[in-house]
Amino acid sequence: MSRRTLIFVGVFVVLAVLFHLQSNGLFLTPRNLSLMLRQSAILAVVAAGVAILMTMSEIDLSIGSAVFLCGVVSAELATQGNLPLIVVVLAALGTGVLLGAVQGAWVVFLGIPSFIATLAGLLAFRGIGLLWTNAATIGPVSPEFTALSESYIPPGISYVIIAIALAFGVGFIVIRDRRKSAKRRMEAREGILARPPVPMGRTIGEIALLVVPLGILAWIVGGFLGIPMALVWVVIIVIALSVLMLRTTYGRGAYLLGANREAAIYSGVNVKRTVFIGFIIMGALYGVAGVLLTARLGSSTPGAGEFLELDAIAAAVIGGVSLRGGVGKVAGAVMGAVLLTTINNGMSILNISSFSQAIIKGLILIAALGVDAYILRRSSR
């Protein structure tokens, strides 16, 4: 993961400098970077869910249609129901969970491959939404609804949040590495395992990888309005799902399931329950993304969410999640989403045609899959 993170940082820096020079200084500005964070939020949310399913060797092709249908539900209730905002959001989340449960049941209980089951969902969910709305735009939604994605935390409060995150992150890294070093020294004295203490350079490097993005975020906050609310949604989801996958029995079972399903069964992993919960989580993220997309557009449009599933899968693969299962992290998929958004944003600033943009993104996806295949062959050897 550290190597992938360094590669991601290097690619991002190269692209950022290139786009900045070619755009006459427009790319690396607080306003544009803040816009880019908001643009990447929806893709990052669904890419995090795709990473969980792909880890278990499953796939979801219905994301765009499911997000659209959840957006329709939220827009209808927000514009015609006169309901509190919290009820509208919970209704969208409930709709997403229902859609995820339906597809999970098809896969788990009927034995339909996830590729086919979610392909059916791709067609059916968008059809339901278009039939419900008669392919009309539903909106506009209230300013309070729009603020869920498009508002900002004031700069003063934003600086406090960044400072707390920095202090917590640095403290966590230092304490963790000290405990590791102490444990290794004790093991060496007892002759159990001769492993060297954690190098100081590694600790400093990890702190730098934390300080740099938070410093950039502070610069964005000072130059343009504050922390985008869309970023808050992403951070909460990434932290929650990362803890789930890396620190719980469920996450360990999911990784084992993707790496070797037969071994997972013999190890006592409940395959059906694990896969079904994965689709439930994906369903909840449909609802979140539907709310954010409706808030960003100010309404629900017939074309909302089209091809979102392809971008989500591409982001996960670029972020190091293997299509073969068992490899990858939620944070990596989110980094892939940020990188894709960076490329889209930079090419749009440079007025590159949408046809050329599609070609470039296709080449990037092929390159990411090639790297994934190379790493797999190397690890096999």
Side-chain angles (χ1 to χ4, degrees), residues 233-336:
W233 286 84
V234 174
V235 170
I236 292 173
I237 289 170
V238 170
I239 291 175
L241 295 185
S242 294
V243 170
L244 174 69
M245 294 301 291
L246 299 176
R247 301 294 180 183
T248 66
T249 303
Y250 173 83
R252 289 191 290 273
Y255 277 109
L256 181 58
L257 181 60
N260 190 323
R261 181 159 294 210
E262 186 176 353
I265 294 173
Y266 285 125
S267 299
V269 175
N270 190 324
V271 175
K272 291 185 176 181
R273 185 180 64 184
T274 302
V275 173
F276 188 72
I277 291 175
F279 276 97
I280 292 290
I281 293 171
M282 189 72 244
L285 297 180
Y286 295 157
V288 174
V291 169
L292 293 179
L293 184 58
T294 302
R296 178 161 180 75
L297 298 177
S299 60
S300 174
T301 61
E306 284 187 339
F307 305 117
L308 181 59
E309 59 278 346
L310 302 183
D311 284 340
I313 294 171
V317 172
I318 291 171
V321 183
S322 176
L323 285 168
R324 299 170 180 84
V327 176
K329 295 183 180 179
V330 170
V334 173
M335 288 193 298

XYZ file of all heavy atoms in Angstrom, residues 233-336:
739
model
N -18.716 13.886 3.794
C -19.378 12.613 3.529
C -18.347 11.544 3.158
O -18.395 10.414 3.656
C -20.386 12.765 2.386
C -21.635 13.495 2.728
C -21.815 14.853 2.729
C -22.899 12.939 3.096
N -23.105 15.174 3.073
C -23.793 14.019 3.294
C -23.360 11.646 3.254
C -25.117 13.822 3.664
C -24.692 11.436 3.622
C -25.544 12.520 3.830
N -17.434 11.890 2.263
C -16.445 10.929 1.781
C -15.553 10.453 2.925
O -15.294 9.252 3.073
C -15.591 11.540 0.655
C -14.459 10.597 0.252
C -16.456 11.853 -0.556
N -15.076 11.379 3.740
C -14.167 11.020 4.840
C -14.853 10.074 5.818
O -14.271 9.059 6.237
C -13.679 12.291 5.556
C -12.933 11.927 6.841
C -12.770 13.105 4.645
N -16.100 10.366 6.171
C -16.835 9.505 7.111
C -16.989 8.103 6.536
O -16.760 7.088 7.217
C -18.209 10.115 7.433
C -18.038 11.408 8.235
C -19.073 9.116 8.208
C -19.325 12.174 8.453
N -17.369 8.010 5.264
C -17.584 6.703 4.630
C -16.277 5.929 4.518
O -16.225 4.725 4.796
C -18.247 6.901 3.252
C -19.691 7.346 3.447
C -18.177 5.627 2.417
C -20.369 7.792 2.181
N -15.210 6.602 4.114
C -13.917 5.918 3.947
C -13.417 5.380 5.279
O -12.947 4.231 5.372
C -12.880 6.878 3.327
C -11.478 6.269 3.384
C -13.246 7.175 1.883
N -13.505 6.176 6.335
C -13.049 5.721 7.648
C -13.872 4.520 8.115
O -13.328 3.500 8.563
C -13.127 6.863 8.673
C -12.088 7.946 8.348
C -12.906 6.332 10.084
C -12.178 9.168 9.239
N -15.206 4.621 7.985
C -16.076 3.539 8.452
C -15.808 2.243 7.684
O -15.660 1.163 8.282
C -17.540 3.954 8.304
N -15.722 2.327 6.356
C -15.530 1.112 5.565
C -14.113 0.564 5.701
O -13.909 -0.660 5.641
C -15.843 1.398 4.086
C -17.299 1.755 3.776
C -17.506 1.904 2.280
C -18.258 0.704 4.342
N -13.127 1.432 5.881
C -11.757 0.954 6.080
C -11.638 0.177 7.387
O -10.995 -0.879 7.449
C -10.780 2.134 6.073
O -10.736 2.754 4.803
N -12.250 0.703 8.446
C -12.248 -0.018 9.726
C -12.963 -1.361 9.571
O -12.503 -2.395 10.079
C -12.913 0.835 10.822
C -13.128 0.015 12.090
C -12.066 2.069 11.129
N -14.093 -1.360 8.858
C -14.840 -2.596 8.648
C -13.998 -3.651 7.944
O -13.982 -4.829 8.335
C -16.096 -2.308 7.830
C -16.931 -3.524 7.406
C -17.595 -4.156 8.621
C -17.971 -3.133 6.365
N -13.273 -3.249 6.899
C -12.538 -4.216 6.082
C -11.202 -4.622 6.693
O -10.715 -5.721 6.446
C -12.311 -3.641 4.681
C -13.588 -3.440 3.887
S -14.527 -4.967 3.647
C -13.433 -5.846 2.525
N -10.577 -3.736 7.459
C -9.229 -4.013 7.954
C -9.180 -4.432 9.419
O -8.172 -4.992 9.860
C -8.344 -2.780 7.761
C -8.154 -2.300 6.315
C -7.331 -1.022 6.287
C -7.496 -3.378 5.464
N -10.252 -4.148 10.184
C -10.189 -4.377 11.623
C -11.293 -5.275 12.155
O -11.471 -5.348 13.379
C -10.268 -3.020 12.359
C -9.177 -2.042 11.990
C -7.822 -2.527 12.442
N -6.749 -1.595 12.085
C -5.467 -1.818 12.311
N -5.095 -2.936 12.892
N -4.558 -0.939 11.944
N -12.043 -5.920 11.291
C -13.142 -6.749 11.787
C -13.071 -8.151 11.172
O -12.416 -8.378 10.151
C -14.523 -6.137 11.440
O -14.697 -6.155 10.013
C -14.634 -4.721 11.961
N -13.771 -9.068 11.798
C -13.854 -10.433 11.284
C -14.509 -10.458 9.912
O -14.122 -11.241 9.034
C -14.649 -11.317 12.260
O -14.034 -11.265 13.548
C -14.697 -12.757 11.779
N -15.509 -9.609 9.723
C -16.179 -9.554 8.420
C -15.191 -9.215 7.309
O -15.183 -9.855 6.251
C -17.307 -8.517 8.438
C -17.906 -8.304 7.062
C -18.887 -9.164 6.582
C -17.466 -7.269 6.240
C -19.430 -8.996 5.311
C -17.991 -7.101 4.966
C -18.972 -7.967 4.512
O -19.494 -7.798 3.243
N -14.355 -8.206 7.547
C -13.392 -7.801 6.528
C -12.400 -8.901 6.201
O -12.090 -9.156 5.026
N -11.899 -9.580 7.231
C -10.957 -10.681 6.990
C -11.618 -11.799 6.190
O -11.006 -12.392 5.299
C -10.417 -11.202 8.325
C -9.462 -10.227 9.011
C -8.763 -10.899 10.182
N -9.676 -11.159 11.292
C -9.959 -10.310 12.252
N -9.387 -9.112 12.248
N -10.782 -10.628 13.243
N -12.875 -12.074 6.504
C -13.599 -13.092 5.750
C -13.811 -12.687 4.307
O -13.733 -13.515 3.390
N -14.077 -11.396 4.073
C -14.281 -10.902 2.706
C -13.017 -11.045 1.877
O -13.057 -11.463 0.709
C -14.744 -9.451 2.748
N -11.866 -10.700 2.465
C -10.599 -10.840 1.736
C -10.306 -12.313 1.435
O -9.872 -12.662 0.324
C -9.453 -10.237 2.546
C -9.318 -8.744 2.393
C -9.653 -7.879 3.431
C -8.845 -8.189 1.209
C -9.543 -6.511 3.294
C -8.721 -6.814 1.058
C -9.072 -5.976 2.106
O -8.956 -4.612 1.956
N -10.540 -13.177 2.422
C -10.289 -14.601 2.209
C -11.232 -15.153 1.148
O -10.835 -15.979 0.312
C -10.454 -15.357 3.523
C -10.208 -16.868 3.466
C -8.803 -17.172 2.954
C -10.430 -17.483 4.840
N -12.459 -14.685 1.153
C -13.449 -15.132 0.180
C -13.013 -14.787 -1.239
O -13.169 -15.592 -2.164
C -14.798 -14.492 0.500
C -15.984 -14.847 -0.397
C -16.239 -16.336 -0.353
C -17.221 -14.075 0.056
N -12.466 -13.600 -1.421
C -12.013 -13.191 -2.745
C -10.740 -13.897 -3.165
O -10.545 -14.197 -4.350
N -9.864 -14.184 -2.201
C -8.589 -14.825 -2.532
C -8.758 -16.299 -2.835
O -8.154 -16.827 -3.772
C -7.603 -14.630 -1.382
N -9.603 -16.981 -2.032
C -9.783 -18.424 -2.220
C -11.109 -18.817 -1.581
O -11.191 -18.999 -0.365
C -8.627 -19.201 -1.591
C -8.630 -20.664 -1.964
O -9.672 -21.293 -2.074
N -7.444 -21.217 -2.159
N -12.138 -18.937 -2.407
C -13.471 -19.199 -1.868
C -13.551 -20.551 -1.161
O -14.191 -20.685 -0.118
C -14.507 -19.139 -2.994
C -15.929 -19.381 -2.553
C -16.926 -18.840 -3.540
N -16.860 -17.387 -3.623
C -17.916 -16.597 -3.911
N -19.095 -17.134 -4.131
N -17.761 -15.303 -3.986
N -12.903 -21.550 -1.708
C -12.933 -22.870 -1.088
C -12.266 -22.846 0.279
O -12.781 -23.420 1.250
C -12.238 -23.881 -1.997
C -12.350 -25.318 -1.495
C -11.742 -26.319 -2.464
O -11.355 -25.896 -3.574
O -11.658 -27.509 -2.100
N -11.126 -22.146 0.370
C -10.455 -22.033 1.666
C -11.314 -21.272 2.659
O -11.332 -21.586 3.855
C -9.100 -21.336 1.488
N -12.038 -20.250 2.179
C -12.916 -19.478 3.058
C -14.012 -20.359 3.636
O -14.353 -20.272 4.826
C -13.519 -18.308 2.293
N -14.563 -21.244 2.800
C -15.624 -22.146 3.276
C -15.081 -23.081 4.349
O -15.702 -23.268 5.403
C -16.201 -22.937 2.088
C -16.919 -21.986 1.128
C -17.150 -24.020 2.586
C -17.369 -22.640 -0.158
N -13.903 -23.654 4.097
C -13.305 -24.574 5.076
C -12.887 -23.843 6.350
O -12.771 -24.461 7.409
C -12.105 -25.289 4.468
C -12.484 -26.374 3.494
C -11.984 -26.362 2.198
C -13.342 -27.405 3.862
C -12.335 -27.352 1.286
C -13.709 -28.393 2.960
C -13.204 -28.368 1.676
O -13.550 -29.345 0.780
N -12.644 -22.534 6.239
C -12.249 -21.752 7.417
C -13.443 -21.300 8.238
O -13.270 -20.637 9.261
C -11.437 -20.530 6.976
O -10.260 -20.924 6.307
N -14.634 -21.613 7.787
C -15.824 -21.267 8.548
C -16.451 -19.946 8.184
O -17.346 -19.467 8.895
N -16.024 -19.326 7.073
C -16.619 -18.070 6.638
C -18.003 -18.345 6.065
O -18.167 -19.228 5.206
C -15.742 -17.372 5.574
C -16.431 -16.121 5.049
C -14.380 -17.042 6.157
N -18.992 -17.614 6.542
C -20.348 -17.728 6.012
C -20.411 -16.956 4.695
O -20.587 -15.739 4.683
C -21.365 -17.190 7.006
C -22.798 -17.515 6.608
O -23.140 -17.521 5.435
N -23.635 -17.775 7.598
N -20.245 -17.659 3.588
C -20.115 -17.010 2.282
C -21.373 -16.229 1.925
O -21.299 -15.067 1.500
C -19.799 -18.054 1.197
C -19.779 -17.412 -0.183
C -18.471 -18.732 1.481
N -22.524 -16.846 2.094
C -23.772 -16.174 1.710
C -23.983 -14.895 2.512
O -24.338 -13.849 1.961
C -24.956 -17.128 1.901
C -24.972 -18.289 0.904
C -26.238 -19.116 1.067
C -26.295 -20.216 0.010
N -27.536 -21.025 0.118
N -23.774 -14.975 3.808
C -23.975 -13.794 4.642
C -22.980 -12.699 4.292
O -23.339 -11.516 4.217
C -23.846 -14.170 6.118
C -24.151 -13.009 7.077
C -24.015 -13.435 8.518
N -22.642 -13.802 8.838
C -22.257 -14.285 10.006
N -23.155 -14.495 10.953
N -20.995 -14.588 10.228
N -21.715 -13.066 4.050
C -20.690 -12.083 3.736
C -21.007 -11.348 2.440
O -20.926 -10.110 2.375
C -19.313 -12.772 3.619
O -19.016 -13.445 4.847
C -18.222 -11.750 3.329
N -21.376 -12.097 1.402
C -21.701 -11.473 0.122
C -22.963 -10.624 0.239
O -23.034 -9.508 -0.286
C -21.872 -12.546 -0.968
C -22.373 -11.922 -2.274
C -20.547 -13.273 -1.209
N -23.972 -11.127 0.945
C -25.227 -10.387 1.084
C -24.999 -9.061 1.809
O -25.522 -8.021 1.398
C -26.247 -11.234 1.842
C -27.627 -10.650 1.873
C -28.411 -10.641 0.731
C -28.136 -10.105 3.041
C -29.692 -10.092 0.753
C -29.409 -9.561 3.074
C -30.193 -9.562 1.929
N -24.202 -9.080 2.874
C -23.894 -7.839 3.593
C -23.145 -6.867 2.682
O -23.366 -5.650 2.723
C -23.077 -8.143 4.865
C -23.949 -8.867 5.889
C -22.512 -6.859 5.473
C -23.193 -9.307 7.126
N -22.266 -7.404 1.824
C -21.558 -6.546 0.879
C -22.517 -5.795 -0.030
O -22.349 -4.590 -0.280
N -23.546 -6.468 -0.518
C -24.531 -5.802 -1.384
C -25.405 -4.830 -0.581
O -25.842 -3.803 -1.114
C -25.399 -6.842 -2.093
C -24.769 -7.398 -3.347
C -24.090 -8.598 -3.325
C -24.834 -6.686 -4.538
C -23.505 -9.111 -4.474
C -24.246 -7.181 -5.689
C -23.577 -8.396 -5.669
N -25.663 -5.140 0.684
C -26.403 -4.201 1.534
C -25.606 -2.909 1.715
O -26.148 -1.791 1.628
C -26.701 -4.840 2.909
C -27.711 -5.982 2.761
C -27.223 -3.791 3.889
C -29.104 -5.535 2.405
N -24.300 -3.047 1.969
C -23.439 -1.865 2.109
C -23.433 -1.052 0.814
O -23.551 0.179 0.822
C -22.010 -2.292 2.480
C -21.995 -2.910 3.885
C -21.048 -1.096 2.420
C -20.674 -3.556 4.251
N -23.314 -1.769 -0.313
C -23.351 -1.086 -1.605
C -24.675 -0.354 -1.785
O -24.728 0.756 -2.312
C -23.143 -2.114 -2.723
C -22.947 -1.521 -4.102
S -21.343 -0.724 -4.329
C -21.836 0.968 -4.603
N -25.763 -0.967 -1.318
C -27.071 -0.335 -1.415
C -27.161 0.954 -0.616
O -27.724 1.949 -1.074
N -26.611 0.936 0.598
C -26.609 2.160 1.398
C -25.839 3.274 0.691
O -26.230 4.454 0.732
C -26.006 1.877 2.769
N -24.770 2.898 0.007
C -23.985 3.890 -0.724
C -24.722 4.395 -1.962
O -24.491 5.530 -2.397
C -22.621 3.305 -1.110
C -21.737 2.917 0.073
C -20.411 2.340 -0.411
C -21.486 4.112 0.978
N -25.614 3.567 -2.546
C -26.503 4.083 -3.597
C -27.267 5.292 -3.062
O -27.395 6.318 -3.745
C -27.559 3.047 -4.003
C -27.098 1.780 -4.652
C -27.904 0.634 -4.596
C -25.890 1.700 -5.347
C -27.527 -0.545 -5.203
C -25.503 0.509 -5.954
C -26.321 -0.609 -5.872
O -25.959 -1.779 -6.462
N -27.830 5.126 -1.859
C -28.629 6.197 -1.282
C -27.826 7.451 -1.023
O -28.268 8.565 -1.333
N -26.629 7.285 -0.454
C -25.775 8.452 -0.192
C -25.430 9.159 -1.496
O -25.536 10.385 -1.617
C -24.488 8.020 0.539
C -23.534 9.208 0.688
C -24.824 7.445 1.911
N -25.000 8.379 -2.500
C -24.628 8.981 -3.777
C -25.829 9.628 -4.459
O -25.696 10.685 -5.103
C -24.009 7.924 -4.691
N -27.019 9.015 -4.333
C -28.214 9.613 -4.917
C -28.543 10.960 -4.304
O -28.912 11.909 -5.009
N -28.417 11.057 -2.982
C -28.655 12.334 -2.299
C -27.628 13.372 -2.742
O -27.972 14.530 -3.056
C -28.609 12.137 -0.775
C -28.594 13.485 -0.051
C -29.804 11.311 -0.314
N -26.352 12.998 -2.771
C -25.303 13.946 -3.161
C -25.469 14.392 -4.608
O -25.257 15.575 -4.933
C -23.926 13.302 -2.972
C -23.496 13.006 -1.537
C -22.117 12.345 -1.513
C -23.488 14.266 -0.688
N -25.832 13.458 -5.490
C -25.994 13.822 -6.895
C -27.176 14.757 -7.090
O -27.085 15.744 -7.837
C -26.185 12.543 -7.731
C -26.273 12.721 -9.247
C -25.026 13.412 -9.787
C -26.480 11.381 -9.938
N -28.286 14.481 -6.414
C -29.454 15.363 -6.512
C -29.148 16.734 -5.929
O -29.550 17.768 -6.483
C -30.648 14.734 -5.778
O -30.924 13.449 -6.343
C -31.888 15.602 -5.910
N -28.434 16.760 -4.811
C -28.059 18.040 -4.208
C -27.115 18.823 -5.123
O -27.231 20.046 -5.238
C -27.397 17.801 -2.850
N -26.200 18.123 -5.772
C -25.243 18.810 -6.648
C -25.929 19.393 -7.875
O -25.640 20.523 -8.282
C -24.149 17.831 -7.074
C -23.141 18.449 -8.009
C -21.842 17.669 -8.068
N -20.898 18.288 -8.958
C -20.200 19.382 -8.695
N -20.355 19.978 -7.524
N -19.364 19.887 -9.564
N -26.856 18.635 -8.469
C -27.548 19.115 -9.673
C -28.711 20.048 -9.336
O -29.182 20.770 -10.212
C -28.069 17.922 -10.478
C -27.016 16.937 -11.015
C -27.693 15.767 -11.717
C -26.045 17.641 -11.951
N -29.182 19.983 -8.095
C -30.339 20.791 -7.720
C -31.655 20.166 -8.121
O -32.722 20.736 -7.881
N -31.612 18.984 -8.735
C -32.808 18.288 -9.186
C -32.408 16.877 -9.597
O -31.221 16.535 -9.623
C -33.464 19.020 -10.367
O -32.547 19.104 -11.454
N -33.405 16.068 -9.940
C -33.146 14.733 -10.481
C -33.436 14.761 -11.973
O -34.560 15.043 -12.385
C -34.033 13.688 -9.789
O -33.882 12.422 -10.397
N -32.438 14.490 -12.782
C -32.581 14.541 -14.233
C -32.586 13.120 -14.811
O -32.014 12.203 -14.213
C -31.430 15.339 -14.867
O -30.184 14.688 -14.568
C -31.397 16.758 -14.301
N -33.195 12.918 -15.979
C -33.274 11.567 -16.556
C -31.919 10.926 -16.830
O -31.788 9.706 -16.786
C -34.050 11.788 -17.866
C -34.807 13.056 -17.658
C -33.965 13.896 -16.763
N -30.912 11.739 -17.110
C -29.597 11.183 -17.421
C -28.658 11.085 -16.242
O -27.478 10.738 -16.418
N -29.152 11.362 -15.045
C -28.285 11.365 -13.870
C -27.714 9.968 -13.617
O -28.421 8.969 -13.685
C -29.064 11.836 -12.643
N -26.416 9.901 -13.352
C -25.775 8.647 -12.994
C -25.384 7.752 -14.149
O -24.885 6.639 -13.919
N -25.588 8.187 -15.369
C -25.245 7.328 -16.508
C -23.742 7.044 -16.529
O -22.934 7.955 -16.375
C -25.669 7.978 -17.825
C -27.163 7.890 -18.089
C -27.535 8.393 -19.476
O -26.735 9.166 -20.055
O -28.602 8.033 -19.972
N -23.399 5.768 -16.736
C -22.017 5.286 -16.818
C -21.226 5.487 -15.519
O -20.009 5.349 -15.510
C -21.265 5.962 -17.981
C -21.948 5.823 -19.307
C -22.402 6.934 -19.997
C -22.156 4.570 -19.851
C -23.039 6.797 -21.215
C -22.794 4.420 -21.076
C -23.238 5.547 -21.768
N -21.922 5.782 -14.422
C -21.231 5.954 -13.149
C -20.578 4.653 -12.715
O -19.492 4.660 -12.113
C -22.216 6.445 -12.084
C -21.659 6.712 -10.685
C -20.556 7.761 -10.727
C -22.769 7.153 -9.737
N -21.212 3.518 -13.026
C -20.642 2.229 -12.638
C -19.299 1.969 -13.317
O -18.385 1.395 -12.713
C -21.615 1.086 -12.952
C -22.017 0.962 -14.403
C -23.138 1.903 -14.803
O -23.788 2.476 -13.906
O -23.353 2.069 -16.014
N -19.159 2.417 -14.561
C -17.896 2.203 -15.271
C -16.779 3.033 -14.653
O -15.651 2.560 -14.477
C -18.064 2.544 -16.752
C -19.149 1.752 -17.502
C -19.161 2.135 -18.971
C -18.924 0.255 -17.344
N -17.092 4.279 -14.317
C -16.086 5.119 -13.665
C -15.723 4.566 -12.286
O -14.554 4.628 -11.873
C -16.606 6.553 -13.525
C -16.569 7.313 -14.839
O -15.815 6.892 -15.738
O -17.289 8.317 -14.969
N -16.714 4.028 -11.562
C -16.439 3.483 -10.224
C -15.525 2.264 -10.308
O -14.577 2.131 -9.515
C -17.755 3.121 -9.533
N -15.799 1.372 -11.251
C -14.951 0.194 -11.417
C -13.554 0.613 -11.850
O -12.546 0.088 -11.353
C -15.578 -0.772 -12.433
C -16.891 -1.331 -11.876
C -14.621 -1.911 -12.769
C -17.708 -2.124 -12.886
N -13.479 1.574 -12.772
C -12.168 2.058 -13.213
C -11.399 2.671 -12.053
O -10.188 2.441 -11.909
C -12.346 3.083 -14.337
N -12.069 3.455 -11.216
C -11.400 4.079 -10.073
C -10.866 3.026 -9.114
O -9.751 3.137 -8.602
C -12.375 5.014 -9.347
N -11.665 1.977 -8.864
C -11.219 0.919 -7.964
C -10.007 0.191 -8.519
O -9.042 -0.088 -7.795
C -12.366 -0.062 -7.707
N -10.031 -0.113 -9.815
C -8.904 -0.820 -10.429
C -7.653 0.048 -10.417
O -6.554 -0.410 -10.085
C -9.261 -1.243 -11.871
C -8.041 -1.797 -12.592
C -10.370 -2.291 -11.853
N -7.805 1.319 -10.769
C -6.660 2.243 -10.746
C -6.104 2.359 -9.331
O -4.896 2.499 -9.130
C -7.079 3.619 -11.286
C -7.354 3.520 -12.798
C -6.016 4.676 -11.023
C -7.976 4.754 -13.386
N -6.988 2.266 -8.336
C -6.565 2.359 -6.940
C -6.002 1.080 -6.367
O -5.721 1.020 -5.166
N -5.836 0.047 -7.201
C -5.176 -1.162 -6.735
C -6.082 -2.293 -6.306
O -5.610 -3.295 -5.775
N -7.394 -2.179 -6.531
C -8.312 -3.268 -6.202
C -8.337 -4.240 -7.378
O -8.608 -3.845 -8.505
C -9.733 -2.737 -5.922
C -10.653 -3.882 -5.508
C -9.700 -1.672 -4.841
N -8.054 -5.496 -7.108
C -7.947 -6.485 -8.181
C -9.320 -7.008 -8.579
O -10.165 -7.315 -7.727
C -7.069 -7.657 -7.740
O -7.041 -8.661 -8.737
N -9.541 -7.121 -9.886
C -10.777 -7.714 -10.381
C -10.868 -9.194 -10.044
O -11.942 -9.780 -10.093
C -10.867 -7.526 -11.902
C -11.223 -6.114 -12.385
C -10.984 -6.001 -13.885
C -12.659 -5.776 -12.044
N -9.743 -9.798 -9.706
C -9.719 -11.223 -9.368
C -10.094 -11.468 -7.912
O -10.268 -12.600 -7.498
C -8.328 -11.797 -9.654
C -7.923 -11.687 -11.109
C -6.461 -12.038 -11.291
N -6.047 -11.936 -12.674
C -5.670 -10.811 -13.269
N -5.663 -9.683 -12.596
N -5.310 -10.798 -14.545
N -10.162 -10.400 -7.107
C -10.564 -10.532 -5.721
C -9.401 -10.721 -4.770
O -8.302 -11.108 -5.172
N -9.659 -10.429 -3.494
C -8.680 -10.681 -2.445
C -7.631 -9.619 -2.261
O -6.842 -9.689 -1.322
N -7.579 -8.617 -3.137
C -6.527 -7.592 -3.078
C -7.164 -6.222 -3.240
O -8.020 -6.025 -4.111
C -5.471 -7.806 -4.186
C -4.445 -6.688 -4.166
C -4.794 -9.162 -4.037
N -6.714 -5.265 -2.427
C -7.181 -3.887 -2.575
C -7.739 -3.333 -1.281
O -8.067 -4.081 -0.351
N -7.834 -2.010 -1.235
C -8.346 -1.322 -0.051
C -9.311 -0.222 -0.465
O -9.242 0.301 -1.577
C -7.203 -0.732 0.771
C -6.271 -1.779 1.372
C -5.207 -1.139 2.236
C -4.283 -2.211 2.834
N -3.225 -1.620 3.673
N -10.189 0.124 0.451
C -11.168 1.175 0.203
C -10.454 2.496 -0.091
O -10.823 3.218 -1.026
C -12.112 1.315 1.410
C -12.979 2.565 1.275
C -12.984 0.076 1.551
N -9.428 2.808 0.689
C -8.703 4.064 0.483
C -8.073 4.110 -0.902
O -8.009 5.171 -1.534
C -7.630 4.227 1.557
N -7.595 2.971 -1.403
C -7.023 2.933 -2.737
C -8.049 3.258 -3.802
O -7.761 3.986 -4.761
N -9.271 2.724 -3.659
C -10.335 3.026 -4.619
C -10.677 4.504 -4.606
O -10.927 5.108 -5.662
C -11.575 2.190 -4.295
N -10.680 5.121 -3.428
C -10.965 6.550 -3.329
C -9.854 7.363 -3.985
O -10.111 8.367 -4.670
C -11.162 6.951 -1.855
C -11.284 8.465 -1.712
C -12.402 6.272 -1.289
N -8.596 6.938 -3.800
C -7.490 7.622 -4.480
C -7.637 7.508 -5.991
O -7.357 8.446 -6.731
C -6.153 7.049 -4.018
C -5.770 7.422 -2.609
S -4.043 7.063 -2.202
C -3.989 5.286 -2.393
N -8.093 6.345 -6.467
C -8.347 6.191 -7.887
C -9.430 7.127 -8.375
O -9.334 7.694 -9.480
